[in-house]
């Protein structure tokens, strides 16, 4: 039997295609969407503007943005058949299963008939996904059938409005906007790769997105901010957090929300969401969770030289906005959908089916045995 | 504390001991683009 190959496990460091959408980890810590630095986008743009950039190739001017926002707002209503399916899903279902089913069901009801529809289909999903997860959540947890057709100007504000049953504050809508921008695109991560592999077979866009959701569901990809929240939420003080972290390190346990597969020095998204988490803590008048998070960050750097990735301070930021932990990863979906669809477009533009080889590690040759002769 | 089924499967992160498949891509887009305020765009 051949030795099991160990180099390049998980395709780390290998180029698996080309893209004009994003660079990750250039010079150790950079992140750009179509050449625009993530700091500029998070500081100045709206998520809808960034989605437009990714999906249509350029930043919109004011009229184009106005038209795009109006279009997205007009697409928020869910078909009755989709609502009925969501009502059948139990309250203890995995919310990512709800997203997967919602995307797939939408594809049954509004099937992409031609690639000419790809922009409209993507816009429809961007507009409808917050409604899908919140319709299920509010129905299954509160027994309420919500109207998903709000008049909120932003997708982030719309999400919080559906979840809480009232319009979001300006601060909360702003933080959701930044969060959606930070999670929108990240080159050849596992879920995006899934979407591109599916697209390369010339499948429909709902199949690409449904498959991507399935990949994001895995705990090695999405879910790190949920895991970070589960880790820190019971700690009462920075001192307790430090004791607990030191114990985890001693026991060689996993600490959630630290380090990254591509970034070597730092994750540029961390400082941005950390700043907003602090502001939310001040607004709430309760900075316990923020102080705990900051202490964990200090200890991890001091002890292991490990930096926070985008997920760690997202946990406290989402918590301060009253978002249940189980909905953290579906928010990731509502954002990354823009990147997935842009990659699907790019794959279709210059397509060849993705079909790599594998290094065979099985037996060289085996003789056929009739079933009655087998042990 | 989250106690439902959703939380029980969340066990690790992207940098965990079992690694997710993750390749890199060759960049073919613009090297760097300057941010333009919306009123200055075409």
């Amino acid at each position: 039997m051949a030795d099991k190959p160990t180099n390049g496990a998980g395709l780390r460091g290998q180029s698996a295609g080309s893209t004009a959408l994003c660079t990750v980890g250039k010079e150790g810590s950079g992140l750009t969407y179509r050449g625009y630095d993530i700091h500029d986008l998070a500081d100045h743009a709206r998520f809808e503007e960034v989605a437009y950039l990714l999906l249509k190739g350029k930043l919109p001017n004011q009229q184009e943005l106005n038209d795009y926002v109006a279009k997205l707002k007009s697409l928020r209503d869910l078909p009755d058949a989709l609502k009925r399916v969501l009502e059948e899903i139990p309250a203890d279902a995995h919310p990512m299963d709800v997203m997967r089913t919602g995307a797939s069901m939408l594809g049954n009801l509004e099937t992409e008939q031609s690639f000419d529809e790809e922009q409209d289909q993507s816009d429809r999903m961007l507009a409808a996904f917050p409604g899908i997860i919140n319709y299920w959540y509010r129905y299954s947890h509160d027994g309420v059938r919500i109207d998903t057709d709000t008049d909120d100007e932003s997708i982030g504000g719309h999400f919080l409005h559906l979840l809480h049953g009232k319009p979001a504050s300006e601060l909360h809508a702003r933080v959701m906007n930044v969060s959606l921008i930070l999670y929108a695109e990240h080159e050849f991560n596992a879920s995006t790769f899934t979407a591109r592999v599916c697209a390369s077979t010339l499948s429909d866009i709902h199949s690409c997105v449904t498959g991507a959701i399935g990949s994001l569901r895995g705990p090695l990809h999405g879910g790190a901010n949920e895991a970070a929240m589960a880790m820190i939420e019971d700690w009462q003080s920075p001192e307790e957090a430090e004791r607990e972290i030191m114990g985890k390190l001693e026991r060689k346990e996993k600490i959630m929300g630290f380090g990254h597969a591509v970034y070597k020095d730092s994750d540029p998204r961390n400082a941005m969401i950390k700043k907003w988490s602090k502001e939310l803590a001040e607004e709430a008048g309760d900075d316990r969770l923020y102080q705990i998070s900051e202490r964990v960050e200090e200890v991890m750097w001091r002890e292991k030289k490990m930096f926070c990735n985008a997920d760690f301070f997202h946990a406290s930021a989402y918590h301060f906005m009253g978002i249940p932990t189980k909905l953290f990863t579906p928010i990731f979906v509502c954002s990354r959908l823009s990147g997935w669809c842009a990659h699907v477009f790019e794959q279709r533009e210059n397509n060849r089916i993705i079909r790599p080889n594998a290094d065979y590690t099985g037996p060289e040759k085996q003789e056929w045995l009739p079933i009655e002769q087998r042990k | 504390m989250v106690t439902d089924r959703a939380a029980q499967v969340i066990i690790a992160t992207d940098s965990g001991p079992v690694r997710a498949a993750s390749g890199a891509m060759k960049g073919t887009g613009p090297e760097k683009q300057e941010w333009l305020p919306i009123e200055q765009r075409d």
Side-chain angles (χ1 to χ4, degrees):
Chain A
M1 189 181 296
D3 290 339
K4 189 175 181 181
T6 54
N7 293 334
L11 301 178
R12 288 297 161 100
Q14 298 177 39
S15 176
S18 304
T19 187
L21 287 165
C22 180
T23 62
V24 175
K26 249 187 170 180
E27 296 154 9
S29 60
L31 173 61
T32 66
Y33 299 169
R34 292 197 185 274
Y36 292 102
D37 190 275
I38 191 65
H39 295 87
D40 284 332
L41 297 172
D43 286 346
H44 303 299
R46 297 177 54 169
F47 171 63
E48 293 75 9
E49 211 172 345
V50 171
Y52 190 104
L53 170 69
L54 291 169
L55 294 168
K56 301 171 199 308
K58 69 182 248 324
L59 285 171
N61 62 30
Q62 189 66 62
Q63 188 57 52
E64 288 166 334
L65 182 60
N66 292 347
D67 293 346
Y68 191 52
V69 169
K71 179 185 181 186
L72 293 175
K73 285 171 65 176
S74 74
L75 295 171
R76 289 174 176 168
D77 200 23
L78 303 183
D80 288 342
L82 175 52
K83 290 179 185 173
R84 286 196 295 275
V85 166
L86 294 171
E87 289 179 13
E88 291 297 317
I89 302 176
D92 70 345
H94 193 304
M96 289 295 281
D97 293 349
V98 179
M99 292 304 303
R100 191 189 62 219
T101 296
S104 183
M105 185 64 185
L106 193 64
N108 279 286
L109 300 171
E110 301 175 8
T111 309
E112 185 187 35
Q113 303 290 349
S114 140
F115 291 172
D116 294 341
E117 298 174 8
E118 64 184 17
Q119 291 280 353
D120 287 340
Q121 293 285 359
S122 302
D123 294 343
R124 169 64 164 149
M125 286 189 278
L126 272 175
F129 274 22
I132 288 174
I133 189 64
N134 280 297
Y135 187 90
W136 164 78
Y137 183 82
R138 295 294 308 282
Y139 182 81
S140 61
H141 289 67
D142 303 333
V144 177
R145 285 189 172 95
I146 59 170
D147 180 2
T148 61
D149 197 10
T150 76
D151 195 39
D152 297 287
E153 284 298 306
S154 69
I155 289 175
H158 172 60
F159 188 101
L160 292 176
H161 189 168
L162 296 178
L163 175 63
H164 297 311
K166 61 181 182 183
S169 70
E170 195 175 319
L171 174 62
H172 289 193
R174 172 76 180 126
V175 177
M176 280 295 284
N177 181 71
V178 170
S179 172
L180 293 171
I181 290 171
L182 296 180
Y183 276 135
E185 162 59 13
H186 219 227
E187 200 222 42
F188 236 25
N189 58 86
S191 58
T192 300
F193 191 26
T194 302
R196 287 192 74 128
V197 169
C198 188
S200 81
T201 71
L202 302 183
S203 189
D204 68 289
I205 198 159
H206 295 94
S207 294
C208 300
V209 169
T210 302
I213 292 170
S215 287
L216 188 60
R217 183 192 191 286
L220 295 186
H221 190 2
N225 52 19
E226 296 184 21
M229 188 67 216
M231 181 178 75
I232 65 177
E233 66 185 342
D234 289 332
W235 296 340
Q236 297 304 312
S237 67
E239 291 72 29
E240 182 186 0
E242 178 158 355
R243 280 196 305 275
E244 291 291 331
I245 288 293
M246 293 300 287
K248 283 176 178 290
L249 290 175
E250 202 168 309
R251 297 187 297 275
K252 300 190 186 306
E253 289 178 19
K254 186 75 190 147
I255 313 293
M256 309 306 178
F258 285 84
H260 194 271
V262 181
Y263 296 121
K264 300 306 174 204
D265 308 325
S266 64
D267 183 333
R269 300 166 297 180
N270 175 53
M272 288 176 268
I273 196 62
K274 180 181 175 183
K275 177 183 78 174
W276 287 106
S277 177
K278 185 177 186 187
E279 195 152 326
L280 288 166
E282 287 167 359
E283 183 218 29
D286 176 10
D287 66 352
R288 177 184 66 88
L289 211 57
Y290 181 81
Q291 295 291 346
I292 286 169
S293 300
E294 207 169 37
R295 179 66 67 89
V296 173
E297 181 183 34
E298 288 168 14
V299 172
M300 287 297 287
W301 184 253
R302 184 187 74 210
E303 298 294 325
K304 291 288 177 183
K305 291 289 177 283
M306 287 188 77
F307 56 84
C308 292
N309 58 41
D311 295 312
F312 190 68
F313 277 92
H314 259 104
S316 51
Y318 285 170
H319 171 80
F320 289 130
M321 292 190 287
I323 300 171
T325 305
K326 66 197 295 187
L327 297 187
F328 288 6
T329 311
I331 295 174
F332 196 156
V333 172
C334 295
S335 164
R336 185 58 60 85
L337 175 63
S338 56
W340 291 336
C341 291
H343 276 274
V344 169
F345 301 170
E346 192 175 59
Q347 184 66 36
R348 287 172 170 180
E349 271 174 24
N350 186 22
N351 187 58
R352 189 163 187 197
I353 189 167
I354 296 172
R355 203 300 186 192
N357 295 330
D359 296 320
Y360 179 67
T361 58
E364 278 300 305
K365 183 171 168 56
Q366 299 210 75
E367 295 298 324
W368 169 257
L369 270 183
I371 197 165
E372 62 275 13
Q373 295 178 27
R374 296 177 208 160
K375 289 181 183 173
Chain B
M1 175 65 76
V2 179
T3 55
D4 64 12
R5 191 149 55 91
Q8 292 169 14
V9 300
I10 294 163
I11 54 170
T13 71
D14 190 33
S15 54
V18 180
R19 295 199 153 188
S22 173
M25 298 189 76
K26 289 179 184 169
T28 57
E31 272 300 299
K32 181 170 171 56
Q33 300 213 71
E34 294 299 324
W35 171 259
L36 269 184
I38 197 163
E39 61 275 9
Q40 294 177 27
R41 296 176 206 158
D42 289 333

